[in-house]
Amino acid sequence: QVQLVESGGGSVQDGGSVRLSCVVRIPDSRFSITTHDDTYSVGWFRQSPGKEREAVAAINTRSELDNLAAILKGRSRISLDSAKSTVDLLIVGLKPADTGMYICAARQWGGRWSDPRAYGIWGQGTQVTVSS
């Protein structure tokens, strides 16, 4: 069973930056993040109090093409380190509205990158709190 473990959250000042990491653990050594069916794409979602879970970014592990949500466009970058089996999300210019639980998720081929229902594997999340 593929597992996702996030890290890097914390309390940040308004205007600050944060780098979130998602380690993708694949127990079957025959596969890697770039070959396992369940990790065709890895994305980051944000869950804020009183709001629906929203997609912030995703990356295709085969092509490394990325998708960035408008809410963070221009302030974020998602990257894949296939050797470390890690997907990082860098966010700069943080605002209090960016506060939330950031959750890593992985999906197979198919479905829209921004649709949470397309993702079959989820991490526990890492909390980011931005104070003014």
Side-chain angles (χ1 to χ4, degrees), residues 4-73:
L4 308 178
V5 181
E6 304 96 329
S7 63
S11 296
V12 187
Q13 290 290 318
D14 191 351
S17 62
V18 68
R19 179 183 292 275
L20 307 177
S21 287
C22 174
V23 175
V24 180
R25 294 177 175 169
I26 300 173
D28 191 335
S29 60
R30 295 175 298 169
F31 300 100
S32 69
I33 190 174
T34 61
T35 62
H36 199 289
D37 284 345
D38 290 344
T39 58
Y40 174 81
S41 175
V42 177
W44 283 93
F45 288 77
R46 182 170 75 194
Q47 182 79 62
S48 302
K51 293 186 177 180
E52 291 189 359
R53 187 168 294 186
E54 55 187 345
V56 298
I59 189 164
N60 183 308
T61 63
R62 276 53 169 170
S63 65
E64 296 195 42
L65 287 176
D66 61 13
N67 294 97
L68 300 172
I71 54 174
L72 290 182
K73 215 158 197 175

Side-chain angles (χ1 to χ4, degrees), residues 54-101:
E54 55 187 345
V56 298
I59 189 164
N60 183 308
T61 63
R62 276 53 169 170
S63 65
E64 296 195 42
L65 287 176
D66 61 13
N67 294 97
L68 300 172
I71 54 174
L72 290 182
K73 215 158 197 175
R75 299 192 292 123
S76 65
R77 185 169 69 92
I78 187 169
S79 59
L80 167 68
D81 186 331
S82 55
K84 295 181 179 180
S85 196
T86 300
V87 173
D88 285 357
L89 177 67
L90 173 67
I91 310 172
V92 301
L94 282 161
K95 311 171 185 177
D98 293 321
T99 292
M101 182 71 77

